[in-house]
Amino acid sequence: MTGNHGAGPAAEAAGYRVVVMGVSGSGKTTVGELIANDLGGDFVDGDALHPAANIAKMSRGIPLDDDDRGPWLQEVGARLELARAEGRTLVLGCSALKRSYRDVIRAGAPETVFVHLHGSRDLLWERMQVRPGHFMPASLLDSQLATLEMLEGEEHGRVFDVSADPETLASVATAWLRSTH
């Protein structure tokens, strides 16, 4: 587990708003669900918030462009802000690969904290090969890795190494989130 970028307030006392980020195959859904359970909140898979046109495009092996992502990222931010307004914890799985994407999310939900799941290309590729029925083909991994911009500066978040098992990742991430709350 590395990096503690801008450890500022994780959330107000009324709960947490967390984006579990990373490329496809990093474990966003599995780890995110565990974190949400540990924090007593809800989990939303950001993929479910994509418009149908985005899903169709990715299913054909075509990477999304920034125009495709804009409305999706705004929806991610809106869901996180709604959770804040309702005083509840929300953990949302979302690739959030570029800083500009994270900026769109934070524009809608400024207190969002990022848990970045990251690992070697080989490990991520291996995991993607055993994921039946997911719309993101493993062939897009290299495109995602090329797009990825690591957390930096004042971005509120931390990078976690996905070579650990999901339960350990969730436990360490939850402890870190509670320590910054």
Side-chain angles (χ1 to χ4, degrees):
M1 308 333 142
T2 62
N4 185 7
H5 299 279
E12 297 171 355
Y16 299 80
R17 265 59 64 197
V18 179
V19 168
V20 179
M21 63 172 279
V23 299
S24 190
S26 62
K28 294 182 297 292
T29 300
T30 302
V31 174
E33 288 174 341
L34 291 166
I35 291 171
N37 186 58
D38 288 349
L39 294 175
D42 298 317
F43 176 79
V44 171
D45 186 335
D47 288 343
L49 304 179
H50 270 293
N54 285 7
I55 293 172
K57 193 172 184 179
M58 289 184 286
S59 294
R60 292 190 309 271
I62 302 168
L64 299 180
D65 60 30
D66 288 353
D67 289 337
D68 298 322
R69 288 185 187 95
W72 171 61
L73 294 166
Q74 290 170 355
E75 179 63 20
V76 168
R79 293 288 178 106
L80 290 160
E81 181 57 22
L82 178 62
R84 186 207 57 77
E86 294 174 348
R88 60 187 173 84
T89 291
L90 178 61
V91 178
L92 199 147
C94 173
S95 53
L97 298 178
K98 288 185 180 180
R99 182 177 179 136
S100 61
Y101 303 165
R102 298 186 294 272
D103 289 346
V104 171
I105 293 168
R106 282 193 310 271
E111 68 177 40
T112 300
V113 178
F114 295 90
V115 169
H116 181 181
L117 304 180
H118 190 60
S120 73
R121 182 203 181 279
D122 289 344
L123 177 59
L124 295 166
W125 179 261
E126 180 180 310
R127 288 182 178 183
M128 290 182 74
Q129 297 304 305
V130 296
R131 290 175 49 180
H134 194 266
F135 66 78
M136 176 70 81
S139 60
L140 291 183
L141 176 61
D142 289 329
S143 169
Q144 286 197 340
L145 287 170
T147 300
L148 176 64
E149 296 173 359
M150 301 297 283
L151 292 169
E152 61 183 19
E154 76 287 348
E155 291 189 279
H156 299 304
R158 182 172 164 190
V159 178
F160 296 86
D161 184 345
V162 298
S163 63
D165 64 85
E167 292 78 13
T168 299
L169 281 170
S171 176
V172 171
T174 300
W176 173 74
L177 288 162
R178 285 187 171 131
S179 76
T180 63
H181 195 270

